Amino acid sequence: MSGAAFRIDRRRFAEGSFCSRIHWRHGLWLVLAFFGSLAFAYAQSDPQQQAPSAISTLILWLPFILKGFALNLLMSFIAMAVATLLGIGLGLLRVSRSKLLRTPAWFVTHLFRNSPWLVILFTVMLLVPFEMRLPGLGTVAIPDWVKATFAFSLPVMANISEVLRGAINSIPKGQWESAESLAFTRGQTLRWIILPQCVRRAIPPWMNWYALLALATPMASILGVHEAVGNAQAAMEAAGARPEFLIPFYLFLLCLFFAYIYPIAIWTRKLERKYVVAS
């Protein structure tokens, strides 16, 4: 494939990079300002007070909350890996010549693309048993976070399937015809000619869906999964459940997810500009 298939506007890309640096600075200042306010409030707090301040309580429970955030990241990594593998298979079925394969794949894709994530989460958590008997292993317990991870992978799988189908359909038809004239089978054409070109087109939306998936993982706290939000709620209850805990704790969670997701969003925009397809 010639390099002309992708057109890069150098001036636009340079301007985008400049804007991205400004956005990086804004995000960095926001995070630094928050943690600076935490340190200042902690330094100003009176250790003689009978009840510790909300900021000092947050700092005390910080390792516990960060441990839950690590579970958020683990769930997002595993769910994205599962969704990518299943989505690629589902997307290939969507472009199959066989109607017996295309129709079920179309139904599964639209079922999970157009269903609320919270409904899918509740459905999987209720349908999947708490434990399962496996031959040779006996009874194996299935943790709630594993079930939640699988539930989150389903809607992302359906959207990745649609991303792959769209990327395949965006390849010019002439390439299919040229491969056919060279005696390539349809499978060989997909494997060696079409899919390698789809990777660059699919990376930006793939990263975008990972960001959305990572932002959706706190919904698992509704069903008792001990991730960042669940641990923050447990910490507030253990510290007395005072109303003044709400703003510092949830503002910290907001900054925590922002600091992780925002760089991904900036990188995704850069890749979209870099791999823009010439019309």
Side-chain angles (χ1 to χ4, degrees), residues 54-273:
I55 301 300
S56 60
T57 303
L58 173 60
I59 295 175
L60 177 65
W61 288 96
L62 196 59
F64 183 61
I65 297 175
L66 293 178
K67 181 180 178 181
F69 183 67
L71 181 58
N72 285 98
L73 299 185
L74 178 62
M75 291 170 61
S76 67
F77 294 153
I78 297 176
M80 197 65 192
V82 173
T84 301
L85 293 176
L86 296 179
I88 290 174
L90 196 61
L92 293 176
L93 293 178
R94 293 285 313 277
V95 298
S96 173
R97 288 178 173 175
S98 173
K99 189 175 182 180
L100 293 177
L101 297 177
R102 286 199 316 270
T103 302
W106 175 90
F107 175 76
V108 171
T109 298
H110 286 276
L111 173 66
F112 289 112
R113 280 193 73 204
N114 300 288
S115 298
W117 289 33
L118 190 58
V119 173
I120 297 175
L121 178 63
F122 272 100
T123 302
V124 171
M125 296 290 283
L126 294 175
L127 289 180
V128 177
F130 293 100
E131 56 185 19
M132 185 179 298
R133 288 186 176 274
L134 298 177
L137 297 178
T139 302
V140 178
I142 304 177
D144 288 340
W145 72 268
V146 173
K147 295 190 286 186
T149 300
F150 177 70
F152 289 131
S153 70
L154 295 178
V156 181
M157 169 200 70
N159 284 281
I160 289 179
S161 165
E162 192 66 16
V163 167
L164 179 62
R165 185 195 65 81
I168 292 175
N169 289 340
S170 69
I171 303 297
K173 298 294 183 182
Q175 298 199 26
W176 290 91
E177 297 170 356
S178 299
E180 185 177 357
S181 67
L182 294 174
F184 280 88
T185 65
R186 183 175 176 83
Q188 290 173 335
T189 304
L190 269 173
R191 184 184 310 170
W192 303 114
I193 300 175
I194 304 301
L195 290 180
Q197 300 178 59
C198 293
V199 172
R200 291 175 26 156
R201 301 172 186 233
I203 283 178
W206 182 89
M207 293 178 61
N208 186 54
W209 279 109
Y210 171 72
L212 293 175
L213 171 62
L215 290 175
T217 54
M219 285 193 296
S221 63
I222 298 174
L223 299 176
V225 178
H226 299 294
E227 44 74 60
V229 176
N231 282 5
Q233 293 172 342
M236 286 187 285
E237 292 176 1
R242 305 206 312 265
E244 58 266 27
F245 289 165
L246 294 176
I247 293 179
F249 273 77
Y250 284 108
L251 185 59
F252 172 74
L253 290 173
L254 185 149
C255 292
L256 190 63
F257 278 93
F258 174 84
Y260 179 70
I261 296 298
Y262 193 68
I264 298 177
I266 293 294
W267 192 14
T268 301
R269 287 202 294 269
K270 285 186 176 182
L271 291 176
E272 287 176 348
R273 286 189 290 267

Side-chain angles (χ1 to χ4, degrees), residues 3-56:
F6 294 93
R7 181 178 60 196
I8 302 176
D9 188 340
R10 297 182 179 274
R11 185 181 65 179
R12 180 186 172 193
F13 184 72
E15 291 174 356
S17 300
F18 176 72
C19 294
S20 298
R21 287 195 296 269
I22 295 178
H23 293 161
W24 266 99
R25 292 172 183 172
H26 288 171
L28 182 60
W29 278 113
L30 176 62
V31 174
L32 291 178
F34 173 74
F35 284 104
S37 64
L38 286 183
F40 177 78
Y42 183 73
Q44 296 297 321
S45 60
D46 185 4
Q48 304 297 328
Q49 289 181 345
Q50 184 176 1
S53 66
I55 301 300
S56 60

